[in-house]
Amino acid sequence: MARLTKAQREWRPGMPKKRRSTKVMFASTVLVLEGFVAFFATLAVFGLRRDEFPPALILSAGIGLSLVLVLTCAVLSKPWGVGLGWILQLILIFAGFIEPMMFVVGILFAVAWWYGIRTGIRIDREAGQREREQAEWEAAHPEDQSN
């Protein structure tokens, strides 16, 4: 027997679908892409610098960072989730001290993160305003509702 999620258990016919956050979607996209970049950067550092750093340290730190980047997507809707994302942006930039090209990659991803958060907030705000206006119109014009 399949277990239902909380949302599935609470659903009733006629309930409006909860709108997903564009900010969370944009931020998640950036974090997943950064996770892939961190993984491949780990492989590059492993191949180029394994004489300078212990290979186990390179692999564990790099794969760990990749996993944290991807798993952070799950907490982006929490108040502290975006703050954690900003900390991860700094870590990715500071990876440039190990592999200098990561300064460029990290800064470019930080710009993409900032833009995704800023644009997502604006889109979410506009969508919320449209929903409120639609609800007001529907309340003022019940005769126009055809079901």
Side-chain angles (χ1 to χ4, degrees), residues 4 11 14 20-21 26-27 30 46 49-50 53 63 70 78 81 83 85 96 100 119 124 136 139 146:
L4 299 177
W11 180 85
R20 295 177 54 172
S21 170
F26 285 174
V30 173
F46 179 76
R49 308 236 172 146
R50 74 178 130 198
F53 302 103
I63 292 171
V70 172
K78 307 254 189 260
T119 304
D124 287 343
E136 289 172 7
S146 59

Side-chain angles (χ1 to χ4, degrees), residues 1-12:
M1 177 186 219
R3 294 183 52 95
L4 299 177
T5 65
K6 180 182 176 189
Q8 289 171 327
R9 287 189 308 269
E10 294 174 354
W11 180 85
R12 299 292 174 258

Side-chain angles (χ1 to χ4, degrees), residues 40-50 53 58 95 98-99 102:
F40 289 116
T42 299
L43 295 178
V45 170
F46 179 76
L48 296 172
R49 308 236 172 146
R50 74 178 130 198
F53 302 103
I58 294 170
I98 296 170
E99 175 54 46
M102 287 305 292

Side-chain angles (χ1 to χ4, degrees), residues 65-118:
L65 177 60
S66 298
L67 289 174
V68 169
L69 284 160
V70 172
L71 294 176
T72 300
C73 297
V75 297
L76 285 174
S77 58
K78 307 254 189 260
W80 50 271
V82 174
L84 176 60
W86 278 113
I87 292 168
L88 292 172
Q89 301 311 307
L90 291 175
I91 291 172
L92 204 62
I93 292 170
F94 290 147
F97 288 112
I98 296 170
E99 175 54 46
M101 196 62 198
M102 287 305 292
F103 282 124
V104 174
V105 172
I107 289 170
L108 290 174
F109 268 116
V111 169
W113 173 261
W114 167 80
Y115 183 77
I117 295 295
R118 187 179 136 261

